[in-house]
Amino acid sequence: MSALNDTKFNSAVFLLTGIPGQEDVYLWISILFCLMYLISIVGNSVILFIIKTDPKLHEPMYIFLSMLAITDLGLSLSTMPTILGIYLFNSKEISLDSCFAQVFFIHSLSLTESSMLLLMAFDRFVAICNPLRYASILTPPRIAKLGLVFVLRGVVLVFPVPFLLKRFQYCRANILSHSYCLHQEVMKMACSDITVNSIYGLSVKLLTVGLDFFLIFLSYVMIIKTVQSVASPMESLRALNTCISHLCAVLLFFTPEIGLSVIHRFGNSSSHLLQILLGYVYLLVPPLMNPIVYSVKSKHIRARIIRVFVK
């Protein structure tokens, strides 16, 4: 075993991974990722600007959308340095402290994104199932409190993770399979008992992402029952059409999130390339696609964007 792998945690480094066997096209891959990051940052920034400057968009649905855009910006910025560092400068080393910090930001922001999607589902549920009380239920102070509670939930639950990782010594193979640090991977590099980390990580996932997904599913079951019982087929389609953007965002986030968690914990025989590609989809695609989907589907945002760029 190399001297590097024998060192203690306070002097060791991890090696991040790009796409093995594709080193000769790293420049083209870096161009693709740069475009994705540029579109993500510009798209989410435009959404925030439009919502902030247009008083007509100061409604619960758009306020929740702005929270989602802020979260997506955070996810993009937390992974950009390491991913682009690999493909542009072949910079694969990351110190343990930097890795632990990235673990905290990625996982806390992921939990926050899950929470924002749940709040947006609650918004659609109230708007369709109880429209007469919509304004009295989703008041600005209540929206602010809900947003703050769910952000704190992500921060508080993930805060112990870097300290749980820092107590280990890392003496195994120090090559990670992604271009960024994830708790599921980093803990496997330790030469100590990781039972506490494994149980805590799985519990947090089930009580946050798992619970959020179940509540979102339940809200749509109730929405479908409501529109079928009180509306004509045309009105039902019109009501459900207001949910399409949110459903797209839910699928874009939860599909790779759940898939990657399953692969890391139970899919030891899964394809390494599939794990790498799913990892990129997990963190790069939702921040890229969410502003595009909402800009296309929301006529108010679309019209406002067109007005801004025409001027």
Side-chain angles (χ1 to χ4, degrees), residues 262-273:
V262 170
I263 286 177
H264 272 301
R265 295 184 183 277
F266 310 110
N268 293 326
S269 59
S270 62
S271 167
H272 185 54
L273 180 60

Side-chain angles (χ1 to χ4, degrees), residues 128 223-243:
I128 294 173
I223 286 172
I224 292 171
K225 283 186 176 181
T226 299
V227 297
Q228 286 181 338
S229 63
V230 301
S232 66
M234 187 60 67
E235 290 173 332
S236 298
L237 287 175
R238 192 178 298 115
L240 291 175
N241 189 53
T242 65
C243 303

Side-chain angles (χ1 to χ4, degrees), residues 15-26:
L15 297 178
L16 302 171
T17 303
I19 302 178
Q22 303 298 320
E23 288 78 8
D24 54 335
V25 292
Y26 269 14

